[in-house]
């Protein structure tokens, strides 16, 4: 039988490692909870043949686990199950979305002077370098003062618009309608805007797909959506981020209308007279954005690289500069 002093010595030997282990766990948890990478980041990525925008958000789940969301050059926002952060370096992997390859995408970045730099390894093995800056909050301190409406398309010409690079333009004015006759280039306004109220009307064919990009960065979906519970990728959704509160679409081949108000990051979407997104915050850029400079003015752009679509009666009321 062990003496009392021996029992105490044995207890002390087992207690000290337990204390050290608990201290390590606590230190790790504190480091993750205070990780400087927490927040939203606007990324600029150098691909093999082009520069493209991207976006990542890191947040704390519970007391010590970092999770997030990621938007690449296309597709929609994807969840990040776990973000690793150690000695100034963050890492995560996510499965492919629309990529053909089965490999995970790998993301690695270092943070210095509140800026990111790193590498995205794509599912096909390409390594794309990127830099990142914190996304602006874009909170407005006063209500907007609206200026005079501007007609962007009134049925006669496309003088307010220009085709974007990436294919031959299939946009024409046919019978007073701004018509994308088949898949081709996207179309953007020559003028750029900050905060605004936008009205437009659209008609999509059966299975049709287009989109309206606000400031060229945030897509409000235009498509022939299925019935059922709405998704962020359905008609009226801010693609991959904001879900309509109901299905308000009228179906393919029917004229429908959008009234969209964007103030900072806060958006209200009215589809066919029904408010389906009410003063919600758009977290970041959506796939297909022109750039990731979220705080800058940008154009309205119409997606033309999917299917045919028709638009009419497009007008915008910009906010006056403070």
């Amino acid at each position: 039988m062990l003496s009392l002093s021996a029992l105490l010595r044995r207890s002390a030997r087992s207690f000290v490692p337990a204390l050290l282990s608990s201290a390590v766990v606590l230190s790790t948890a504190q480091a993750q909870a205070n990780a400087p990478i927490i927040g939203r980041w606007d990324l600029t990525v150098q691909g093999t043949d082009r520069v493209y925008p991207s976006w990542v958000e890191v947040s704390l789940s519970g007391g010590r686990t970092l999770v997030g969301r990621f938007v690449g050059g296309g597709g929609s926002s994807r969840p990040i199950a776990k973000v690793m952060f150690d000695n100034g370096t963050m890492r995560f992997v996510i499965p492919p979305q629309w990529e053909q390859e089965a490999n995970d995408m790998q993301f690695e970045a270092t943070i210095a002077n509140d800026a990111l730099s790193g590498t995205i390894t794509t599912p096909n093995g390409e390594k794309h370098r990127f830099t990142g800056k914190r996304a602006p909050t874009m909170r407005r301190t006063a209500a907007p003062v609206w200026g005079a409406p501007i007609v962007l398309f009134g049925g006669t010409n496309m003088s307010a618009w220009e085709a974007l690079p990436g294919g031959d333009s299939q946009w024409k004015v046919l019978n007073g309608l701004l018509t994308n006759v088949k898949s081709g280039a996207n179309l953007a306004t020559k003028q750029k805007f900050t905060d605004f109220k936008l009205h437009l009307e659209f008609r999509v064919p059966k299975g049709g797909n287009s989109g309206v990009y606000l400031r060229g960065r945030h897509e409000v979906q235009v498509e022939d959506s299925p019935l059922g519970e709405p998704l962020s990728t359905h008609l009226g959704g801010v693609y991959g981020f904001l879900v309509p509160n109901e299905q308000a679409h009228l179906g393919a081949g029917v004229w429908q209308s959008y009234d969209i108000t964007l103030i900072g990051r806060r958006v209200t979407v009215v589809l066919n007279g029904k408010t389906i997104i009410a003063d919600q915050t758009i977290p970041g850029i959506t796939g297909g954005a022109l750039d990731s400079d979220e705080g800058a003015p940008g154009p309205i752009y119409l997606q033309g690289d999917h299917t045919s679509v028709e638009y009419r009666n497009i007008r915008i009321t910009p906010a006056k500069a403070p």
Side-chain angles (χ1 to χ4, degrees):
M1 179 180 295
L2 293 173
S3 65
L4 178 60
S5 60
L7 284 172
L8 290 174
R9 286 195 298 273
R10 176 178 289 183
S11 298
R13 286 196 298 270
S14 62
F15 183 65
V16 170
L19 273 179
L20 291 174
S21 177
S22 297
V24 169
V25 170
L26 181 60
S27 175
T28 301
Q30 289 174 337
Q32 299 292 78
N34 298 308
I37 59 168
I38 290 174
R40 297 169 178 164
W41 300 85
D42 290 332
L43 311 180
T44 301
V45 188
Q46 177 60 63
T48 54
D49 57 354
R50 67 185 180 100
V51 175
Y52 64 90
S54 184
W55 176 90
V56 67
E57 178 183 46
V58 179
S59 57
L60 185 67
S61 176
R64 63 175 181 268
T65 303
L66 296 175
V67 297
R69 292 184 287 182
F70 174 81
V71 175
S76 62
S77 172
R78 322 186 207 179
I80 306 168
K82 190 171 185 179
V83 177
M84 305 301 297
F85 180 70
D86 185 52
N87 292 325
T89 299
M90 65 178 286
R91 298 180 180 87
F92 63 83
V93 297
I94 53 176
Q97 188 180 58
W98 295 106
E99 298 90 346
Q100 297 300 310
E101 299 81 10
N103 302 317
D104 289 344
M105 187 210 78
Q106 301 176 45
F107 183 104
E108 181 173 317
T110 56
I111 183 168
N113 300 318
D114 207 32
L116 294 181
S117 61
T119 303
I120 294 171
T121 304
T122 66
N124 68 2
E126 293 179 355
K127 293 185 180 298
H128 296 174
R129 298 289 301 171
F130 69 85
T131 57
K133 60 182 181 180
R134 284 198 184 273
T137 61
M138 300 171 67
R139 295 190 183 96
R140 304 303 190 227
T141 57
V145 176
W146 301 111
I150 300 170
V151 175
L152 296 177
F153 180 74
T156 56
N157 62 70
M158 296 167 51
S159 61
W161 303 82
E162 59 186 0
L164 295 173
D168 295 331
S169 176
Q170 304 298 328
W171 294 92
K172 306 177 186 300
V173 179
L174 298 176
N175 301 316
L177 305 176
L178 181 57
T179 304
N180 188 49
V181 297
K182 62 180 180 179
S183 177
N186 299 319
L187 192 70
T189 59
K190 297 175 182 177
Q191 190 172 351
K192 296 182 178 182
F193 306 95
T194 303
D195 296 345
F196 54 80
K197 296 187 291 186
L198 175 68
H199 173 87
L200 58 82
E201 298 165 21
F202 59 91
R203 183 166 63 182
V204 293
K206 185 69 175 177
N209 188 306
S210 180
V212 180
Y213 279 76
L214 314 178
R215 299 193 197 111
R217 303 181 188 102
H218 314 293
E219 182 188 8
V220 180
Q221 177 71 298
V222 172
E223 72 161 10
D224 174 28
S225 294
L227 295 173
E229 193 66 21
L231 302 174
S232 67
T233 53
H234 286 170
L235 179 64
V238 176
Y239 198 81
F241 282 129
L242 302 182
V243 180
N245 59 32
E246 65 175 296
Q247 292 278 25
H249 65 79
L250 303 178
V254 177
W255 281 104
Q256 306 185 68
S257 67
Y258 267 146
D259 288 282
I260 302 170
T261 303
L262 182 64
I263 302 170
R265 291 187 177 277
R266 297 167 65 167
V267 67
T268 294
V269 179
V270 179
L271 173 62
N272 300 322
K274 294 183 177 181
T275 300
I276 56 172
I277 294 176
D279 198 25
Q280 296 296 300
T281 296
I282 303 177
I285 65 169
T286 58
L290 297 180
D291 61 50
S292 58
D293 191 5
E294 291 191 84
I300 304 299
Y301 105 63
L302 305 177
Q303 193 173 45
D305 60 0
H306 279 39
T307 70
S308 61
V309 65
E310 297 168 304
Y311 290 93
R312 70 183 185 188
N313 297 333
I314 307 177
R315 60 181 181 272
I316 193 168
T317 304
K320 293 182 178 179

